[in-house]
Amino acid sequence: MEELARFDTYLEMLDPMRGGYRCVMYDKELVDTFPKKSKTRIILDIDDGNIHVQAGIQSFGGGKYFSMIGKTKLNGHTYEQGQAISVVVYLDPNPLGVDIPEVIEALLEQDELIKRVWDKLTDGRKRTICHTVHRIKNIDKQVDKCLVFFEEEREKLVDRGKW
């Protein structure tokens, strides 16, 4: 993986109105050095491999950016706001930043219409369905969710004249 940055910082926390997530903050100057600037997908390595997180970069305003670290990504570690951390930022080799579930891969191979819709989706919409399917344990429900999602996305494309 290509290393983009390495620095020591403090773990920050978004205010409860923004979700109360723990996060790593960046200055605009650093983000501007990334290949796609704030649209770059990254992997955060915190405290020498203690935590690995695939993340995006979001604007905080005022020339600041951040990446969220969800509670499930803390792997039982008790990182608190203001705690000193070392961070290595890598370029995520996966442009989606998430693995494509087997159910979606199978549907893409089997259904030409679904493949056409997939190819027209933004990476953000692709991440949405991938994360949704990852949370569903029942394969039949995964398939049903995918079919509904792709049909709704196709209808949106039709409404926008992109189909």
Side-chain angles (χ1 to χ4, degrees):
M1 286 187 292
E2 179 185 345
E3 183 176 315
L4 300 177
R6 180 181 294 258
F7 54 92
D8 293 325
T9 188
Y10 295 94
L11 194 65
E12 307 239 3
M13 196 161 193
L14 295 180
D15 64 63
M17 294 299 290
R18 289 191 172 192
Y21 291 98
R22 289 164 181 83
C23 60
V24 174
M25 300 291 285
Y26 318 97
D27 289 325
K28 181 180 185 332
E29 293 78 22
L30 175 65
V31 172
D32 284 346
T33 67
F34 296 167
K36 294 182 181 177
K37 304 204 181 326
S38 65
K39 296 192 183 307
T40 304
R41 296 297 301 179
I42 59 174
I43 295 176
L44 298 175
D45 180 331
I46 298 174
D47 290 341
D48 296 318
N50 232 3
I51 297 175
H52 261 76
V53 180
Q54 285 181 297
I57 302 167
Q58 298 178 321
S59 175
F60 188 76
K64 290 285 210 183
Y65 291 85
F66 69 96
S67 294
M68 292 187 298
I69 304 169
K71 290 177 185 175
T72 59
K73 301 296 183 189
L74 294 176
N75 298 328
H77 300 287
T78 55
Y79 283 90
E80 297 300 329
Q81 178 178 358
Q83 183 171 340
I85 57 173
S86 64
V87 178
V88 181
V89 180
Y90 295 100
L91 179 64
D92 191 339
N94 179 351
L96 282 183
V98 64
D99 293 329
I100 300 173
E102 288 181 35
V103 166
I104 294 176
E105 287 180 341
L107 287 171
L108 293 173
E109 288 176 20
Q110 296 171 10
D111 191 313
E112 196 174 301
L113 188 67
I114 288 176
K115 175 77 169 108
R116 259 184 81 196
V117 172
W118 175 265
D119 290 342
K120 291 182 179 288
L121 294 177
T122 64
D123 286 348
R125 293 305 291 154
K126 290 175 183 177
R127 272 192 294 280
T128 296
I129 189 60
C130 289
H131 284 301
T132 300
V133 170
H134 278 303
R135 286 191 287 269
I136 300 170
K137 302 298 180 216
N138 182 299
I139 291 177
D140 290 334
K141 289 182 181 179
Q142 288 178 348
V143 171
D144 291 343
K145 186 66 171 181
C146 286
L147 294 176
V148 168
F149 175 85
F150 285 113
E151 180 54 28
E152 288 173 353
E153 291 300 314
R154 190 190 69 74
E155 289 172 7
K156 288 178 192 175
L157 290 167
V158 168
D159 291 344
R160 293 184 196 130
K162 296 182 178 183
W163 188 252

